[in-house]
Amino acid sequence: MPEGQVVLMAVGDTGPFHAPADAYGTLVKPILATADIRFAQAERLYSERGTLQVHAEIPNARLQPELAAVFGDCGFDVVSVAGNHALDWGEEAFFDTIACLEAQGCRTVGGGRNLAEARRPVVIERKGVKVAFLAYCSILNHGFAAGPNKAGVAPVRVHTYYEAVEYQPGIPPRVVTIPYEEDIAAMQADIAAAKQIADTVIVSQHWGIHFVPKVIAGYEVTVAEAAFAAGADLVLGHHPHVPKAIGVHDGKVCFYSLGNFIMSRPERSPEQAAHFEKHHGVKLDPDYPRLAYGVDAKRTLIAKAVLTAHGPARVSFLPAQVDKQLRPEVLRPGDPRFDEAVGYLDWASEDFSHRFTVDGSEVVVS
């Protein structure tokens, strides 16, 4: 790219449970190397310290520090630590994770020793273009949000209400989700401040309904539109472990979920698999026992944006699929999987304004 044009590539949840960490990026590293800035979401903790918290979701969120090498191996420049497992093992493991990622050459965003640190942007300058990153989390266990004198992640918390849709007993209610006004105000203030020091502002959001394809919670749209209204240029979503809608809001693009990038987890027992499928209504793929997040968990994409001093000049994505060795592979036109992946994302996005145009190996979003 010429001077004044910076290529950003962004991916979703990253944090494989199984070694070796440098095996997963084999197919995708040459693609990532063509970007000027690379972003990822850290899904796991990297530490040998800490205590499993009583409100933690799963014990396997903490991994050996050497597994953080996946981020350095893929050359990520910015990594969000604003995730739902950030404090699963307490503050020690959280701080160790930040240190591990920074030792891999990554700058971390979205978490810190207090709220001011968690809300602080990371600004990267390439080719004369300044790009600011902010990161927030809406999937928050008790005590995970940073406070004035408390470690944690930058929050965008959400109220959940249930409304009856019919007078008949037993009919499932409508779920209403409304973000905290004070968190929206804080996020918008952060974006406005970042816009004063950078040409482009990228907002990362750890949010959404996991495992279930297509479904978008109402608060996600509210938060995305609030971010854009404050001056954000691009929103990158993750957490659901499956790709979801790509929506255009007043000319700006929101990737509601980038899906898994490089992930693995312990295999589920037959009993655990049956419970997962019944509880979430999502089938597991027997060919991917270590990617047991649903049959669509192998779908992924790389968001790509050409950034200038005036914001994004072009936003696109690279359709990809995780192979049975859990390596993301960028798909090419002419491969039936490419057309199927584009069709899937078009279906997932049908409730949002969008148009996809294939240009070479990219799908341009407009």
Side-chain angles (χ1 to χ4, degrees):
M1 281 289 170
E3 188 72 13
Q5 293 190 342
V6 173
V7 173
L8 165 71
M9 289 187 182
V11 303
D13 293 322
T14 302
F17 184 87
H18 303 88
D22 61 0
Y24 297 100
T26 307
L27 303 178
V28 78
K29 283 193 295 183
I31 302 295
L32 293 174
T34 64
D36 299 296
I37 305 173
R38 290 156 289 271
F39 169 91
Q41 168 71 25
E43 184 67 3
R44 295 259 169 67
L45 299 163
Y46 300 96
S47 178
E48 295 180 322
R49 301 193 300 160
T51 302
L52 184 64
Q53 304 297 292
V54 294
H55 46 269
E57 293 181 65
I58 53 174
N60 60 36
R62 186 185 67 171
L63 304 180
Q64 290 297 308
E66 55 264 29
L67 284 170
V70 68
F71 294 92
D73 185 58
C74 289
F76 289 115
D77 302 283
V78 185
V79 176
S80 165
V81 295
N84 55 308
H85 298 298
L87 273 295
D88 275 4
W89 286 81
E91 293 184 4
E92 288 181 325
F94 181 50
F95 297 149
D96 286 351
T97 299
I98 292 172
C100 276
L101 292 168
E102 291 177 349
Q104 292 295 324
C106 309
R107 297 180 66 182
T108 60
V109 64
R113 295 181 178 273
N114 52 53
L115 186 57
E117 282 192 10
R119 291 173 54 187
R120 185 178 301 157
V122 163
V123 180
I124 293 181
E125 183 171 357
R126 297 280 192 275
K127 300 178 181 177
V129 178
K130 292 184 177 180
V131 183
F133 292 83
L134 292 160
Y136 304 88
C137 184
S138 295
I139 313 299
L140 290 165
N141 270 314
H142 177 72
F144 280 27
N149 300 297
K150 178 191 171 302
V153 303
V156 173
R157 294 163 291 188
V158 181
H159 299 285
T160 302
Y161 304 99
Y162 303 92
E163 289 183 350
V165 296
E166 289 190 21
Y167 67 91
Q168 300 181 64
I171 296 294
R174 177 186 295 111
V175 181
V176 179
T177 53
I178 301 173
Y180 285 30
E181 290 183 5
E182 60 267 38
D183 289 352
I184 290 291
M187 178 192 73
Q188 290 189 308
D190 295 343
I191 293 168
K195 200 71 173 177
Q196 295 298 310
I197 58 172
D199 301 305
T200 296
V201 177
I202 312 295
V203 176
S204 165
Q205 297 281 357
H206 204 65
W207 60 5
I209 299 171
H210 59 179
F211 313 134
V212 181
K214 193 172 185 176
V215 178
I216 302 291
Y219 78 89
E220 297 176 70
V221 179
T222 304
V223 172
E225 291 180 345
F228 290 137
D233 296 290
L234 182 67
V235 172
L236 305 171
H238 29 76
H239 168 70
H241 296 291
V242 58
K244 295 206 181 186
I246 301 169
V248 180
H249 301 266
D250 293 327
K252 297 180 179 181
V253 179
C254 175
F255 290 90
Y256 280 93
S257 174
L258 294 166
N260 296 307
F261 182 62
I262 295 175
M263 283 292 296
S264 73
R265 56 152 292 135
E267 297 179 24
R268 298 184 192 269
S269 68
E271 294 77 17
Q272 291 171 333
H275 174 77
F276 176 93
E277 293 185 348
K278 181 178 180 180
H279 180 67
H280 296 290
V282 173
K283 293 291 185 181
L284 294 174
D285 190 332
D287 291 334
Y288 288 81
R290 290 184 170 181
L291 196 64
Y293 301 106
V295 71
D296 293 312
K298 63 181 176 290
R299 301 181 185 276
T300 189
L301 65 151
I302 299 174
K304 181 177 179 180
V306 178
L307 309 177
T308 73
H310 306 289
R314 170 186 169 110
V315 177
S316 61
F317 65 90
L318 306 177
Q321 183 170 306
V322 178
D323 73 6
K324 293 179 184 179
Q325 298 178 58
L326 304 186
R327 301 174 303 176
E329 174 192 2
V330 173
L331 305 176
R332 307 290 185 180
D335 183 336
R337 297 176 300 165
F338 180 94
D339 295 332
E340 200 274 337
V342 176
Y344 179 90
L345 284 164
D346 191 42
W347 166 77
S349 307
E350 65 182 4
D351 294 331
F352 294 85
S353 175
H354 74 284
R355 183 172 64 203
F356 296 161
T357 305
V358 176
D359 183 6
S361 297
E362 299 178 29
V363 182
V364 179
V365 182
S366 60

